[in-house]
Coordinates of all heavy atoms in Angstrom, one line a residue:
M1 N 17.0 0.0 6.7 CA 16.9 -0.8 5.5 C 16.7 -2.3 6.0 O 17.3 -2.8 6.8 CB 18.2 -0.7 4.7 CG 18.6 0.6 4.2 SD 18.1 1.1 2.6 CE 18.5 -0.2 1.5
V2 N 15.7 -2.9 5.3 CA 15.4 -4.3 5.5 C 15.2 -5.0 4.2 O 15.0 -4.3 3.2 CB 14.1 -4.5 6.4 CG1 14.3 -3.9 7.8 CG2 12.9 -3.9 5.7
R3 N 15.2 -6.3 4.2 CA 15.0 -7.1 3.0 C 13.5 -7.5 2.9 O 13.0 -8.0 3.9 CB 15.9 -8.3 2.9 CG 17.3 -7.9 2.7 CD 18.1 -9.1 2.1 NE 19.5 -8.7 1.9 CZ 20.0 -8.1 0.9 NH1 19.2 -7.9 -0.2 NH2 21.3 -7.8 0.8
N4 N 12.8 -7.3 1.8 CA 11.5 -7.7 1.7 C 11.4 -9.2 1.2 O 12.4 -9.9 1.1 CB 10.7 -6.8 0.7 CG 11.3 -6.8 -0.7 OD1 12.0 -7.7 -1.1 ND2 10.9 -5.9 -1.5
K5 N 10.2 -9.7 0.9 CA 10.0 -11.1 0.5 C 10.8 -11.5 -0.7 O 11.2 -12.6 -0.9 CB 8.5 -11.4 0.3 CG 7.6 -11.4 1.5 CD 6.3 -12.0 1.2 CE 5.5 -11.3 0.1 NZ 4.1 -11.7 0.0
Q6 N 11.0 -10.5 -1.6 CA 11.7 -10.7 -2.8 C 13.2 -10.6 -2.7 O 14.0 -10.8 -3.6 CB 11.3 -9.8 -3.9 CG 9.8 -10.0 -4.4 CD 8.8 -9.4 -3.4 OE1 9.1 -8.5 -2.6 NE2 7.6 -10.0 -3.4
G7 N 13.7 -10.3 -1.4 CA 15.1 -10.2 -1.2 C 15.7 -8.8 -1.5 O 16.9 -8.6 -1.4
E8 N 14.8 -7.8 -1.9 CA 15.3 -6.5 -2.2 C 15.4 -5.7 -0.9 O 14.7 -5.8 0.0 CB 14.3 -5.8 -3.1 CG 14.0 -6.6 -4.4 CD 12.7 -6.1 -5.1 OE1 11.8 -5.6 -4.4 OE2 12.7 -6.1 -6.3
E9 N 16.4 -4.8 -0.9 CA 16.6 -3.9 0.2 C 15.6 -2.7 0.1 O 15.6 -2.1 -1.0 CB 18.0 -3.4 0.3 CG 19.0 -4.4 0.9 CD 20.3 -3.8 1.2 OE1 20.7 -2.7 0.7 OE2 21.1 -4.5 1.9
V10 N 14.8 -2.5 1.1 CA 13.9 -1.4 1.1 C 14.0 -0.6 2.4 O 14.4 -1.1 3.4 CB 12.4 -1.8 0.8 CG1 12.2 -2.5 -0.5 CG2 12.0 -2.8 1.9
I11 N 13.5 0.6 2.4 CA 13.5 1.5 3.6 C 12.2 1.2 4.4 O 11.1 1.3 3.9 CB 13.7 2.9 3.2 CG1 15.0 3.2 2.5 CG2 13.5 3.8 4.5 CD1 15.2 4.6 2.0
S12 N 12.4 0.9 5.7 CA 11.3 0.8 6.6 C 11.0 2.1 7.2 O 11.9 2.8 7.7 CB 11.7 -0.3 7.6 OG 10.8 -0.3 8.7
E13 N 9.7 2.5 7.3 CA 9.3 3.8 7.9 C 9.3 3.7 9.4 O 9.5 4.7 10.1 CB 8.0 4.2 7.3 CG 8.0 4.6 5.9 CD 6.6 5.2 5.5 OE1 6.2 6.1 6.1 OE2 6.1 4.7 4.5
A14 N 9.0 2.5 9.9 CA 8.8 2.3 11.3 C 9.0 0.8 11.7 O 9.0 0.0 10.9 CB 7.4 2.8 11.8
R15 N 9.2 0.6 13.0 CA 9.2 -0.7 13.6 C 8.2 -0.9 14.6 O 7.9 0.0 15.4 CB 10.6 -1.0 14.2 CG 11.7 -0.9 13.2 CD 12.6 -2.1 13.4 NE 13.7 -2.0 12.4 CZ 13.9 -2.9 11.5 NH1 13.2 -4.0 11.5 NH2 14.9 -2.8 10.6
V16 N 7.6 -2.1 14.6 CA 6.5 -2.4 15.6 C 7.0 -3.7 16.3 O 7.5 -4.6 15.7 CB 5.2 -2.7 14.9 CG1 4.1 -3.1 15.8 CG2 4.7 -1.5 14.0
F17 N 6.8 -3.7 17.6 CA 7.1 -4.9 18.4 C 5.8 -5.5 18.9 O 5.0 -4.8 19.5 CB 8.0 -4.5 19.6 CG 9.3 -3.9 19.1 CD1 9.5 -2.6 18.9 CD2 10.4 -4.8 18.9 CE1 10.7 -2.1 18.5 CE2 11.6 -4.3 18.5 CZ 11.8 -2.9 18.3
C18 N 5.6 -6.8 18.7 CA 4.3 -7.4 19.0 C 4.5 -8.9 19.2 O 5.6 -9.4 19.0 CB 3.3 -7.2 17.9 SG 3.6 -7.9 16.4
L19 N 3.4 -9.5 19.7 CA 3.4 -11.0 19.9 C 2.6 -11.7 18.8 O 2.7 -12.9 18.6 CB 2.9 -11.3 21.3 CG 3.7 -10.9 22.4 CD1 3.0 -11.1 23.7 CD2 5.0 -11.6 22.4
E20 N 1.7 -10.9 18.1 CA 0.8 -11.5 17.1 C 1.6 -12.1 16.0 O 2.7 -11.7 15.6 CB -0.1 -10.4 16.6 CG -1.2 -10.0 17.6 CD -0.7 -9.0 18.7 OE1 0.5 -8.5 18.5 OE2 -1.4 -8.9 19.6
A21 N 1.0 -13.1 15.4 CA 1.6 -13.8 14.3 C 1.4 -13.1 12.9 O 0.5 -13.4 12.2 CB 1.1 -15.2 14.1
V22 N 2.2 -12.0 12.7 CA 2.1 -11.3 11.5 C 3.2 -11.8 10.5 O 4.2 -12.4 11.0 CB 2.3 -9.7 11.7 CG1 1.1 -9.2 12.5 CG2 3.6 -9.4 12.4
Q23 N 3.0 -11.5 9.2 CA 4.0 -11.9 8.3 C 4.1 -10.9 7.1 O 3.1 -10.1 7.0 CB 3.7 -13.3 7.7 CG 2.3 -13.5 7.2 CD 1.9 -14.9 6.9 OE1 2.8 -15.7 6.4 NE2 0.7 -15.3 7.0
P24 N 5.1 -10.9 6.4 CA 5.2 -10.0 5.2 C 4.0 -10.1 4.3 O 3.6 -11.2 4.0 CB 6.5 -10.4 4.5 CG 7.3 -11.0 5.6 CD 6.4 -11.7 6.5
G25 N 3.5 -9.0 3.9 CA 2.3 -9.0 3.1 C 1.1 -8.6 3.9 O 0.1 -8.2 3.3
D26 N 1.1 -8.8 5.2 CA 0.0 -8.4 6.0 C 0.0 -6.9 6.1 O 0.9 -6.2 5.7 CB 0.1 -8.9 7.5 CG -0.1 -10.4 7.6 OD1 -0.6 -11.0 6.6 OD2 0.2 -11.0 8.6
V27 N -1.2 -6.3 6.6 CA -1.3 -4.9 6.7 C -1.7 -4.6 8.1 O -2.7 -5.1 8.6 CB -2.3 -4.3 5.7 CG1 -2.5 -2.8 5.9 CG2 -1.9 -4.6 4.3
L28 N -1.0 -3.7 8.8 CA -1.4 -3.2 10.1 C -2.1 -1.9 10.0 O -1.7 -1.0 9.1 CB -0.2 -3.0 11.0 CG 0.8 -4.2 11.2 CD1 1.9 -3.9 12.1 CD2 0.0 -5.4 11.8
E29 N -3.1 -1.6 10.8 CA -3.8 -0.4 10.8 C -3.6 0.4 12.1 O -3.8 -0.2 13.2 CB -5.3 -0.6 10.5 CG -6.1 0.7 10.3 CD -7.5 0.4 10.0 OE1 -7.8 -0.6 9.3 OE2 -8.3 1.3 10.4
Y30 N -3.2 1.6 12.0 CA -2.9 2.4 13.2 C -3.1 3.9 12.8 O -2.5 4.3 11.8 CB -1.5 2.1 13.8 CG -1.2 3.0 15.0 CD1 -1.7 2.6 16.2 CD2 -0.4 4.1 14.9 CE1 -1.5 3.4 17.3 CE2 -0.1 4.9 16.0 CZ -0.7 4.5 17.2 OH -0.4 5.2 18.3
G31 N -3.8 4.6 13.7 CA -3.9 6.0 13.5 C -4.6 6.4 12.2 O -4.3 7.4 11.6
G32 N -5.5 5.6 11.7 CA -6.2 5.8 10.5 C -5.4 5.6 9.2 O -5.8 6.0 8.2
R33 N -4.3 4.9 9.4 CA -3.4 4.7 8.2 C -3.1 3.2 8.2 O -3.0 2.5 9.2 CB -2.1 5.5 8.4 CG -1.1 5.3 7.3 CD 0.0 6.2 7.4 NE 1.0 5.9 6.4 CZ 2.3 6.3 6.4 NH1 2.7 7.2 7.3 NH2 3.1 5.9 5.4
E34 N -2.9 2.7 7.0 CA -2.5 1.3 6.8 C -1.0 1.2 6.6 O -0.5 2.0 5.8 CB -3.3 0.7 5.6 CG -4.8 0.5 5.9 CD -5.5 -0.2 4.8 OE1 -4.9 -0.3 3.6 OE2 -6.6 -0.7 5.0
W35 N -0.4 0.3 7.2 CA 1.0 0.1 7.2 C 1.3 -1.3 6.7 O 1.1 -2.3 7.4 CB 1.7 0.2 8.6 CG 1.4 1.6 9.2 CD1 0.3 2.0 9.9 CD2 2.3 2.7 9.2 NE1 0.5 3.3 10.3 CE2 1.7 3.7 9.9 CE3 3.6 2.9 8.7 CZ2 2.3 4.9 10.1 CZ3 4.2 4.1 8.9 CH2 3.6 5.1 9.6
P36 N 1.8 -1.5 5.5 CA 2.1 -2.8 4.9 C 3.4 -3.4 5.6 O 4.4 -2.7 5.8 CB 2.4 -2.6 3.5 CG 2.7 -1.2 3.3 CD 2.0 -0.5 4.5
V37 N 3.3 -4.7 6.0 CA 4.4 -5.4 6.7 C 5.4 -5.7 5.6 O 5.1 -6.4 4.7 CB 3.9 -6.6 7.5 CG1 5.1 -7.4 8.0 CG2 2.9 -6.2 8.5
I38 N 6.7 -5.3 5.8 CA 7.8 -5.6 4.9 C 8.5 -6.8 5.3 O 8.9 -7.7 4.5 CB 8.7 -4.4 4.8 CG1 7.9 -3.1 4.3 CG2 9.9 -4.7 3.9 CD1 8.7 -1.8 4.5
A39 N 8.9 -6.9 6.6 CA 9.7 -8.0 7.1 C 9.4 -8.2 8.6 O 8.9 -7.3 9.3 CB 11.2 -7.6 7.0
V40 N 9.6 -9.5 9.0 CA 9.3 -9.8 10.4 C 10.5 -10.7 10.9 O 10.9 -11.6 10.2 CB 8.0 -10.7 10.5 CG1 7.8 -11.1 12.0 CG2 6.8 -9.9 10.0
S41 N 11.0 -10.4 12.1 CA 12.0 -11.2 12.7 C 11.5 -11.6 14.1 O 10.8 -10.8 14.8 CB 13.3 -10.5 12.8 OG 13.3 -9.4 13.6
E42 N 11.8 -12.8 14.5 CA 11.3 -13.3 15.9 C 12.5 -13.3 16.8 O 13.6 -13.7 16.4 CB 10.7 -14.7 15.7 CG 9.4 -14.7 14.9 CD 8.8 -16.0 14.9 OE1 9.4 -17.0 15.3 OE2 7.6 -16.1 14.5
T43 N 12.3 -12.9 18.0 CA 13.3 -12.9 19.1 C 12.9 -13.8 20.2 O 11.9 -13.7 20.8 CB 13.5 -11.5 19.6 OG1 13.9 -10.6 18.6 CG2 14.6 -11.4 20.7
P44 N 13.8 -14.9 20.4 CA 13.4 -15.9 21.4 C 14.0 -15.4 22.8 O 15.0 -14.7 22.8 CB 14.2 -17.1 21.0 CG 15.3 -16.6 20.2 CD 14.9 -15.3 19.5
G45 N 13.3 -15.8 23.8 CA 13.8 -15.6 25.2 C 14.9 -16.6 25.5 O 15.2 -17.5 24.7
L46 N 15.4 -16.6 26.7 CA 16.4 -17.5 27.2 C 15.9 -19.0 27.2 O 16.7 -19.9 27.1 CB 17.0 -17.1 28.5 CG 17.7 -15.8 28.6 CD1 18.1 -15.4 30.0 CD2 19.0 -15.9 27.7
D47 N 14.6 -19.1 27.3 CA 14.0 -20.5 27.4 C 13.7 -21.0 26.0 O 13.2 -22.1 25.8 CB 12.7 -20.5 28.2 CG 11.7 -19.5 27.7 OD1 11.9 -18.8 26.7 OD2 10.6 -19.4 28.3
G48 N 14.0 -20.2 24.9 CA 13.8 -20.6 23.6 C 12.4 -20.3 23.0 O 12.1 -20.5 21.8
K49 N 11.5 -19.8 23.9 CA 10.2 -19.5 23.4 C 10.2 -18.0 22.9 O 11.0 -17.2 23.3 CB 9.2 -19.6 24.6 CG 9.0 -21.0 25.1 CD 8.0 -21.1 26.2 CE 7.9 -22.5 26.7 NZ 7.0 -22.6 27.9
L50 N 9.2 -17.7 22.1 CA 9.1 -16.4 21.5 C 8.9 -15.3 22.5 O 8.1 -15.4 23.4 CB 7.9 -16.4 20.5 CG 7.6 -15.0 19.9 CD1 8.7 -14.7 18.9 CD2 6.2 -15.0 19.3
L51 N 9.8 -14.4 22.5 CA 9.7 -13.2 23.4 C 8.9 -12.1 22.7 O 8.0 -11.5 23.3 CB 11.2 -12.7 23.7 CG 11.3 -11.7 24.8 CD1 10.8 -12.2 26.1 CD2 12.8 -11.4 25.0
Y52 N 9.2 -11.8 21.5 CA 8.5 -10.8 20.7 C 8.9 -10.9 19.2 O 9.8 -11.5 18.9 CB 8.7 -9.4 21.2 CG 10.2 -8.9 21.1 CD1 10.6 -8.3 19.9 CD2 11.0 -9.0 22.2 CE1 12.0 -7.9 19.8 CE2 12.3 -8.6 22.1 CZ 12.8 -8.0 20.9 OH 14.1 -7.6 20.8
R53 N 8.0 -10.3 18.4 CA 8.3 -10.1 17.0 C 8.7 -8.7 16.7 O 8.0 -7.8 17.2 CB 7.1 -10.6 16.1 CG 6.9 -12.0 16.2 CD 5.7 -12.4 15.3 NE 5.6 -13.9 15.2 CZ 4.9 -14.6 16.1 NH1 4.2 -14.0 17.0 NH2 4.8 -15.9 16.0
E54 N 9.7 -8.4 15.9 CA 10.0 -7.1 15.4 C 9.5 -7.0 14.0 O 10.0 -7.8 13.1 CB 11.5 -6.9 15.5 CG 11.9 -5.5 15.2 CD 13.4 -5.3 15.4 OE1 14.1 -6.1 16.1 OE2 13.9 -4.2 14.9
V55 N 8.6 -6.1 13.7 CA 8.0 -5.9 12.4 C 8.4 -4.6 11.7 O 8.2 -3.6 12.3 CB 6.4 -6.0 12.6 CG1 5.7 -5.9 11.3 CG2 6.0 -7.2 13.4
A56 N 8.9 -4.7 10.6 CA 9.3 -3.5 9.8 C 8.1 -3.2 8.9 O 7.6 -4.0 8.2 CB 10.5 -3.8 8.9
V57 N 7.7 -1.9 9.0 CA 6.5 -1.5 8.2 C 7.0 -0.2 7.4 O 8.0 0.4 7.7 CB 5.3 -1.1 9.0 CG1 4.7 -2.4 9.6 CG2 5.6 -0.1 10.0

């Protein structure tokens, strides 16, 4: 369960880890299917720079 842009709790079907600047409302395409981005969290490394983004779709 994750919170969407409206603050509602919704079920995420999958998680994607990436470096690209994605945001809620974007759509990822994989395997001939479109996956709407529900939520994005950023994980910094020890140096404070972006290590990866965790994307709930």
